[in-house]
Amino acid sequence: MPLITDPFALEFVQRALLGGILIALLCGVAGTWVVARGMAFLGEALGHGMLPGVAVATLLGVPVLLGAGVSAALMSLGIGALERRGRLSYDTSIGMLFVAMLAAGVIVISQSGSFATDATAILFGDILAISPEDLVVLTWATGTGLAVAAAAHRSLVALAVDSRVAAVLGLRPRIAQAALVGLVTLAVVASYQAVGSLLVVGLLIAPAVAARQWTHRLPSAMAVACAFGVAAVVIGLLLSWHAGTAAGASIALIAVLLAAASWAAHAARVRMRIPREAFA
C-alpha cells in the first residue's frame, strides 16, 4: 500500500523539500520583522519589483536569481531615494515603484516567444525544478540572512520600538533600517523559485502571522514562524503531488490556511479562558 510520504523518495522532490525548508527558515526570520514593523507592503512590492530582472535574466539565459537580486536591490535603492529626495511618504514611494517595476517586467516578458510559459514560471515559481546548484545558493542566502538578523538584532529591536530611541542609544537607525530592507530583499529573492513573485508574500508573511498568535517574544516568534513555514512546505508538496496541483501555489495556500487556523485556535482558547477567569 503506497504511503502518503512516498513522493519524498524521489530525488527531485527531496531537493524541493530541502530548498523549501531553507526558504522557510529565512522567511520565518525575515517575516517576523516584517510583521513586527508593519512592512508587508514592502515585501509585496519587492516580490513584483524583481520581475524585470527575472524577465531579462530568463531572456538572456543567465541565472534568474542574479537578475532577481539586481532588480530587487534597485527597487530598494529607488524607494530610499524617492523617500529622501522626492519628499514622498514611504508607502507612496513603494507604490510608485511597485507599478513601474511590475509594468516593466510584463513588457520584457511580452517580448518572449513563450510569453505564457515564462509568465507562469516567473509569477508562480517552480520549486520542483530546484537543482543542486540552487541548493548551494539557497544555503548561502539562508546562512547570510540568519547571520545579518543575529548581528543586527539589538538595533532592529530598538528600531521596532522607536527610531528616536535607537538613535539615542547610538544604534544608527538608518543602518538598522537598511539591514532590515536587505534582509527582506534576500528572503524575497531566495523565495522566488519556490513560489514565484506573485505568491512570495504568502510564505514571508503567513508563518509570521501564525506565530504571533502564540508568542510576542521575537526570538520565539521567529522559531515558531520557521516551524509553520516548514510545515507549509511539507504539506504543500504532498498536496501538490497527490492532488496534482501547482507546488508553489499549494505551499503558499497552506501557509495562509495555517495562519487562519492558528488565529482561530488562539481566538477559541481566549474565549474558553474568559469564563474561568471571571469566576476566579
Side-chain angles (χ1 to χ4, degrees):
M1 180 177 178
L3 299 176
I4 192 172
T5 56
D6 281 351
F8 294 134
L10 301 173
E11 188 175 347
F12 73 95
V13 181
Q14 292 173 2
R15 289 197 299 269
L17 176 63
L18 180 55
I21 289 173
L22 290 170
I23 292 167
L25 295 178
L26 180 56
C27 285
V29 173
T32 299
W33 284 115
V34 168
V35 172
R37 294 275 291 141
M39 296 172 60
F41 187 36
L42 173 64
E44 177 73 22
L46 287 173
H48 295 297
M50 65 184 179
L51 191 58
V54 170
V56 171
T58 300
L59 292 179
L60 297 180
V62 300
V64 292
L65 287 180
L66 177 60
V70 171
S71 190
L74 291 175
M75 175 81 175
S76 300
L77 293 173
I79 291 171
L82 282 176
E83 185 184 15
R84 290 192 306 271
R85 300 180 183 179
R87 296 183 179 180
L88 298 174
S89 69
Y90 195 64
D91 285 349
T92 302
S93 302
I94 293 175
M96 290 182 62
L97 282 176
F98 168 84
V99 174
M101 297 291 275
L102 180 61
V106 173
I107 289 173
V108 173
I109 297 173
S110 68
Q111 299 303 307
S112 169
S114 55
F115 174 79
T117 301
D118 291 340
T120 299
I122 290 172
L123 293 175
F124 303 107
D126 190 2
I127 191 172
L128 295 176
I130 287 180
S131 66
E133 293 76 17
D134 293 329
L135 289 178
V136 173
V137 174
L138 287 173
T139 300
W140 173 86
T142 301
T144 301
L146 296 181
V148 168
H153 181 78
R154 186 164 175 262
S155 298
L156 291 173
V157 170
L159 182 65
V161 174
D162 193 320
S163 60
R164 292 170 295 182
V165 172
V168 170
L169 295 175
L171 296 176
R172 299 182 179 180
R174 285 187 178 274
I175 295 179
Q177 178 69 14
L180 179 55
V181 172
L183 179 62
V184 175
T185 301
L186 185 62
V188 167
V189 171
S191 306
Y192 155 74
Q193 187 163 358
V195 293
S197 63
L198 192 63
L199 303 173
V200 66
V201 179
L203 202 55
L204 183 69
I205 302 298
V209 170
R212 285 290 293 269
Q213 305 304 315
W214 306 104
T215 177
H216 291 284
R217 295 184 64 252
L218 286 170
S220 56
M222 291 177 188
V224 175
C226 290
F228 272 112
V230 170
V233 170
V234 173
I235 298 172
L237 286 174
L238 291 174
L239 173 65
S240 171
W241 181 270
H242 292 289
T245 56
S250 298
I251 292 171
L253 177 61
I254 292 298
V256 174
L257 291 178
L258 286 175
S262 180
W263 177 86
H266 176 71
R269 188 181 69 168
V270 170
R271 285 196 298 269
M272 292 175 64
R273 184 189 305 161
I274 290 175
R276 292 198 301 266
E277 293 175 348
F279 293 99

